[in-house]
Amino acid sequence: MISIESIREKVLNDKRISFEEAVFLFETRDLLSVGEMADSINKKKNHDKVYFNVNRHINPTNICVNRCKFCAFSRDKEDNDSYELTMEEMLKKAEEASKQGATELHIVGGLHPRWTFDFYVNMVKTLKTSFPSMHIQAFTAVEIDYFSKISEKPLDYVLKTLKDAGLGSLPGGGAEIFHPEIREKICPEKITGDRWLEVMETAHKVGLKSNATMLYGHIEEYWHRVDHMERLRQLQDKTGGFQAFIPLAFHPENTKIDKKRYTTGFDDLKTLAIGRIYLDNFQHIKAFWIMLTEKVAQISLFFGVNDLDGTVVEEKITHSAGAKTRESLTKEELISMIKEAKKIPVERDTVYNELRVYY
Ligand code: V47
Ligand code: SF4
């Protein structure tokens, strides 16, 4: 019989928990026991260190051929609030970021019906040659697949070409919920979960690290979340190329999802904690404070989380869907948030080299 005690026994002995045990953890009301287990794993892996970075998000365009039902950010080209940034505008944002001490540009956007693969390669090349010390973390697996389609080139060619142009790593977006039963309902035009995993496997093979996300709190059930994490755990066993797991809390406003509730703090903390317990082969669990609020993100540091993402500066995806959080935090604010939780703030670069420890 599965119980909190039997799962705790496994966790304390560094044993993997099963699919059914993870579902049990989602169903329990004993949040504090789940948090305690996640915290003990995190302490073993990362001690009291909490990572953050100084980064800037850039979304080159909101025009997208997919129009996922949960996405309030995307537009059709004809819409009067669709936009396309020019290279000059992107360079200006990168320059601002550089002046503010950013070490990373996080670039994701819509699948533009007319931009060519060469355009994207040039975007990376131009940004990297203008700001050589900046790490460019860009393009979700969904965008990479799209580049492969529009260029009629295989995935490894697309990824290697971008890497040669200066791409440093891939963000974890576009994963949503892998299970086809949910994917068909929330993003029917999007690549399958299997294809997302294939893109990531290929990226890891060509030497690009990546993150992995999971969009939760819409129409999925708990077991779909576990299925999602199971597939990530299997791929991570194979490649070891994932750096961080980032559960993304669904925001319902202006979306076509027939559920107009935000996630609860209870569910947010439980999902992060179970991510830490289930994904025993991931080093980092990230709380994206933009989606979780600063307060929940801070508390999550005791529920298995060891990374708070970064300064962000400009955030369109969740703010189009009703996020009430700020779009930017200063480095000092991130440091004091971590210090007040009696943890050790560590400024990192994108691939987790420690740049400065704030004892
Ligand atoms: O892929 C879209 C999600 C993602 C909504 O890798 C929504 O470090 C909530 O992936 N409510 C993009 N989420 C953001 C992302 C990300 C963010 C921070 C760090 C990293 C990382 C990656 O946002 C999309 C989609 O899954 N999203 N619409 C919505 N209404
Ligand atoms: Fe396009 Fe991404 Fe929004 Fe889907 S989530 S509509 S792929 S921008």
Side-chain angles (χ1 to χ4, degrees):
M1 249 264 291
I2 300 173
S3 64
I4 285 285
E5 287 66 37
S6 67
I7 299 174
R8 187 183 287 120
E9 176 78 17
K10 273 191 162 177
V11 167
L12 294 180
N13 289 299
D14 300 323
K15 292 219 178 78
R16 234 172 214 195
I17 70 161
S18 69
F19 194 104
E20 292 72 27
E21 286 166 333
V23 174
F24 178 91
L25 291 182
F26 271 114
E27 278 166 358
T28 184
R29 55 180 274 181
D30 192 355
L31 173 66
L32 292 184
S33 289
V34 181
E36 205 176 4
M37 284 185 246
D39 192 44
S40 77
I41 299 170
N42 185 34
K43 279 227 172 78
K44 271 193 207 165
K45 286 194 170 171
N46 299 299
H47 314 284
D48 275 329
K49 285 183 173 174
V50 176
Y51 295 92
F52 69 93
N53 72 352
V54 181
N55 64 351
R56 162 136 201 181
H57 283 215
I58 301 178
N59 307 118
T61 180
N62 63 352
I63 300 172
C64 186
V65 298
N66 266 7
R67 306 305 313 268
C68 304
K69 293 199 172 30
F70 57 78
C71 178
F73 161 74
S74 63
R75 294 289 181 274
D76 290 333
K77 189 155 176 37
E78 300 71 39
D79 290 337
N80 53 14
D81 52 353
S82 68
Y83 74 84
E84 299 162 346
L85 296 183
T86 61
M87 199 58 240
E88 287 64 42
E89 287 168 326
M90 278 186 254
L91 279 167
K92 194 159 169 264
K93 287 179 194 284
E95 193 182 343
E96 279 166 19
S98 172
K99 281 194 184 133
Q100 288 162 0
T103 58
E104 171 192 288
L105 295 176
H106 177 114
I107 306 172
V108 297
L111 309 180
H112 194 284
R114 281 204 272 285
W115 285 355
T116 62
F117 178 48
D118 282 350
F119 175 85
Y120 288 98
V121 174
N122 192 44
M123 182 196 292
V124 173
K125 212 177 266 170
T126 308
L127 288 167
K128 189 67 186 176
T129 37
S130 308
F131 304 96
S133 63
M134 196 79 88
H135 181 107
I136 302 190
Q137 179 171 73
F139 312 130
T140 65
V142 176
E143 289 167 284
I144 299 294
D145 167 77
Y146 188 63
F147 301 159
S148 165
K149 277 197 192 99
I150 58 177
S151 65
E152 300 181 348
K153 295 277 194 293
L155 285 177
D156 60 347
Y157 173 89
V158 166
L159 287 158
K160 276 187 205 146
T161 307
L162 287 167
K163 191 172 176 230
D164 290 346
L167 182 70
S169 61
L170 300 187
E176 325 315 355
I177 286 284
F178 292 141
H179 200 285
E181 197 175 284
I182 299 300
R183 226 171 164 81
E184 276 157 20
K185 293 198 182 114
I186 64 168
C187 50
E189 309 297 332
K190 200 165 236 169
I191 55 168
T192 62
D194 283 345
R195 180 67 172 167
W196 189 96
L197 291 160
E198 190 186 345
V199 173
M200 286 309 188
E201 185 170 353
T202 316
H204 299 167
K205 271 192 195 139
V206 307
L208 289 164
K209 295 271 183 197
S210 76
N211 292 330
T213 58
M214 173 177 78
L215 181 70
Y216 67 96
H218 39 90
I219 61 163
E220 85 291 358
E221 292 179 36
Y222 290 145
W223 71 269
H224 294 115
R225 298 186 196 178
V226 181
D227 174 76
H228 188 93
M229 291 192 287
E230 172 58 27
R231 295 189 205 204
L232 289 175
R233 192 164 80 173
Q234 282 178 19
L235 181 56
Q236 180 74 332
D237 275 345
K238 223 165 140 184
T239 67
F242 288 120
Q243 303 194 107
F245 175 60
I246 312 147
L248 302 175
F250 172 60
H251 284 56
E253 271 176 44
N254 309 314
T255 73
K256 295 197 185 74
I257 299 284
D258 194 19
K259 182 173 178 191
K260 296 296 172 219
R261 275 189 59 209
Y262 285 81
T263 61
T264 60
F266 187 85
D267 196 18
D268 293 336
L269 290 173
K270 203 162 55 168
T271 306
L272 289 158
I274 297 170
R276 170 59 82 192
I277 298 169
Y278 201 76
L279 297 173
D280 59 347
N281 50 7
F282 276 62
Q283 184 72 23
H284 307 289
I285 303 294
K286 188 193 276 191
F288 189 39
W289 60 266
I290 293 256
M291 294 198 191
L292 292 168
T293 75
E294 289 162 55
K295 291 185 182 189
V296 171
Q298 189 189 38
I299 297 170
S300 76
L301 301 180
F302 299 91
F303 288 77
V305 166
N306 73 311
D307 191 313
L308 288 180
D309 199 82
T311 48
V312 182
V313 182
E314 194 179 359
E315 204 284 331
K316 294 186 191 298
I317 296 172
T318 335
H319 283 82
S320 320
K324 304 283 184 292
T325 49
R326 291 158 57 185
E327 286 187 60
S328 186
L329 281 178
T330 63
K331 178 164 146 173
E332 291 67 34
E333 285 170 322
L334 282 163
I335 291 170
S336 77
M337 197 168 147
I338 298 165
K339 279 201 165 164
E340 273 182 37
K342 310 290 177 213
K343 298 260 187 176
I344 305 163
V346 180
E347 185 184 345
R348 61 163 174 87
D349 66 11
T350 311
V351 289
Y352 289 87
N353 293 306
E354 295 186 2
L355 302 180
R356 187 162 166 199
V357 184
Y358 293 85
Y359 287 110

